Amino acid sequence: MIYAVIMSGGLGSRFWPKSRKGLPKQFLKIIGQKTMIENTVDRISTIIPRENIYVVTNQNYVGIIKKLLGFDNKNIFKEPLNKETASCIGLAAVKLLKKDFEATMVVLPSDHLIIGQEEFEQTIKRAIDVAQDGDYLVTMGVAPTRPEIGYGYIEVGDKIQENVFRVKRFIEKPNLDVATSFIEKGNFLWNSGMFVWRADRLLREIKKYLPDLYKNLMRIYEYIGTEDEEKVIKEEYEKIDGISIDFGVMQRTHRAVVIPTNFVWDDIGSFTSLERFLSKDENGNIIQNCEAAVMDVKNTTIMGDKRLVAAIGIKDMLIIDTDDVILVCPKDRAQSIKDLVKKISSSEEFEKFI
């Protein structure tokens, strides 16, 4: 059977201070009238029935997921600690395999924007067929429209069937010169972070490339459905060295293939990414969720809460106002917000603001 696995444990720190530890980005209404995770569930539920959609998340977010999605405990896989995507996806794999030895997983981030529902559905269905018939680890790649330094890239290899290609290599976020060269070469795609594979095939690849994690997962597998399940998951998670599924498996396996997509995709990874989807005034300013009084302000994004935000004579800036934090940042430093959050997190005095 086909199951959707939605990863929803991230903190969205590049969206701080809107995205917070208690209410991260996937639970916010960034674009439109629904939260990002609600949109993700709606999008995949046209292919996979809701009873076969599962969310993997930090145990602290179980309550809000139940409230937003109406899910009960059986459709929520709880992680006691955040140990990156290999363990997150691995936990889902052993849980589903215990339930269904022929489980196929459609793995999706909870906080991405996709426009083009019909194209999305066609791509997912194609990926399911390829994963099941060829026993491949399938990822979906997006044709780049700009030299983006905030995304990973996939170098496309040989064609193995119609619109399906071997993955030559994965490249983590490059600098601007390298990203520009990828665009010029024409055989690179953005890594969307969406995957399809059989659960048993994924676990065989984890066994091969991440043997320690495999041992952790197999011990968890033994205790699924017993009264000691949560205790054993916690014990094993404390032993796990976190690694992403890209680094741990996809960069090393010989079974990775990529399907180029035709839908519009964006990971909405920073405030500057909103410029591509929100309307601007005549001076290129985006003003969202607040009253703003501006004079000689250009190309600036202002997001507020309850207060009036006033600005004079600024250009290419971010002003993000919340109840307890105001962020002022040049747009070209938006990627540094994550570093600022890390610095603030190390201070006991400021920890309450994370």
Side-chain angles (χ1 to χ4, degrees):
M1 196 170 288
I2 316 299
Y3 303 90
V5 173
I6 297 173
M7 299 179 288
S8 185
L11 297 178
S13 54
R14 284 179 292 171
F15 251 88
W16 183 87
K18 285 293 185 183
S19 178
R20 311 292 272 269
K21 190 183 288 186
L23 194 69
K25 170 188 158 194
Q26 60 267 32
F27 305 130
L28 300 178
K29 297 176 182 177
I30 303 290
I31 295 175
Q33 298 305 307
K34 288 189 174 183
T35 64
M36 302 201 82
I37 192 170
E38 287 177 293
N39 287 329
T40 302
V41 170
D42 288 349
R43 191 181 303 124
I44 195 62
S45 63
T46 61
I47 305 170
I48 299 172
R50 286 179 75 94
E51 60 265 26
N52 287 345
I53 299 174
Y54 293 82
V55 176
V56 190
T57 191
N58 185 292
Q59 57 193 5
N60 296 329
Y61 303 143
V62 170
I64 189 167
I65 287 170
K66 287 181 175 181
K67 182 178 178 182
L68 285 173
L69 303 178
F71 282 11
D72 56 27
N73 284 327
K74 74 178 179 63
N75 287 80
I76 301 173
F77 298 155
K78 295 181 288 186
E79 289 189 289
L81 300 164
N82 186 343
K83 289 295 182 80
E84 290 282 0
T85 54
S87 52
C88 161
I89 294 169
L91 175 65
V94 294
K95 290 252 194 181
L96 292 175
L97 207 60
K98 194 82 168 186
K99 167 190 174 74
D100 177 0
F101 195 67
E102 295 187 340
T104 295
M105 304 166 60
V106 177
V107 181
L108 305 169
S110 60
D111 57 356
H112 290 183
L113 173 73
I114 289 174
I115 300 172
Q117 180 66 24
E118 185 178 344
E119 291 84 356
F120 172 77
E121 292 176 12
Q122 289 172 354
T123 303
I124 294 294
K125 289 175 182 175
R126 178 79 170 116
I128 290 168
D129 289 341
V130 172
Q132 292 182 328
D133 297 343
D135 204 16
Y136 289 113
L137 305 185
V138 184
T139 186
M140 281 143 275
V142 179
T145 56
R146 61 188 182 280
E148 175 62 59
I149 63 172
Y151 297 164
Y153 286 74
I154 297 168
E155 185 174 5
V156 177
D158 295 335
K159 180 178 179 179
I160 60 169
Q161 51 185 279
E162 187 62 33
N163 205 40
V164 182
F165 302 84
R166 291 198 180 276
V167 171
K168 195 167 184 180
R169 60 176 172 141
F170 286 82
I171 303 98
E172 260 308 298
K173 300 169 184 175
N175 63 36
L176 185 58
D177 289 342
V178 173
T180 301
S181 74
F182 290 166
I183 304 290
E184 291 168 352
K185 288 176 181 175
N187 63 327
F188 287 83
L189 301 170
W190 285 334
N191 180 3
S192 71
M194 296 185 286
F195 307 100
V196 180
W197 43 53
R198 284 179 55 106
D200 57 353
R201 166 51 64 189
L202 173 68
L203 288 168
R204 285 198 291 274
E205 298 302 292
I206 289 176
K207 182 179 182 180
K208 186 175 182 179
Y209 299 111
L210 298 172
D212 290 340
L213 175 61
Y214 181 79
K215 290 175 187 174
N216 301 133
L217 294 172
M218 286 302 100
R219 183 159 187 264
I220 290 171
Y221 179 84
E222 289 175 25
Y223 285 87
I224 291 170
T226 72
E227 61 183 20
D228 290 327
E229 178 181 343
E230 285 196 23
K231 178 174 77 73
V232 171
I233 291 174
K234 187 172 187 300
E235 289 172 355
E236 295 306 309
Y237 261 68
E238 286 171 352
K239 301 174 190 174
I240 290 171
D241 292 323
I243 189 170
S244 72
I245 198 72
D246 287 344
F247 278 128
V249 175
M250 296 302 285
Q251 288 191 7
R252 302 160 77 181
T253 182
H254 300 294
R255 305 201 68 83
V257 299
V258 61
I259 297 177
T261 64
N262 291 317
F263 50 78
V264 175
W265 170 90
D266 201 294
D267 81 342
I268 310 295
S270 66
F271 289 110
T272 52
S273 64
L274 294 175
E275 296 177 14
R276 295 188 284 275
F277 304 101
L278 297 180
S279 58
K280 303 175 184 179
D281 68 15
E282 65 276 11
N283 292 309
N285 300 315
I286 295 171
I287 298 172
Q288 191 183 46
N289 299 332
C290 67
E291 296 291 331
V294 297
M295 182 184 297
D296 298 327
V297 171
K298 293 183 178 179
N299 207 28
T300 290
T301 296
I302 300 173
M303 297 179 72
D305 190 15
K306 298 171 184 173
R307 292 178 287 203
L308 172 72
V309 177
I312 301 173
I314 59 173
K315 181 181 179 183
D316 298 321
M317 296 291 290
L318 298 172
I319 302 175
I320 314 299
D321 181 32
T322 68
D323 276 347
D324 56 351
V325 176
I326 299 173
L327 171 73
V328 181
C329 171
K331 283 186 177 180
D332 61 7
R333 295 294 304 278
Q335 295 291 335
S336 299
I337 294 173
K338 190 172 186 176
D339 299 324
L340 178 62
V341 170
K342 192 179 293 184
K343 181 178 179 181
I344 294 172
S345 300
S346 65
S347 166
E348 218 172 280
E349 180 185 0
F350 293 146
E351 193 176 1
K352 63 185 178 183
F353 298 111
I354 298 303

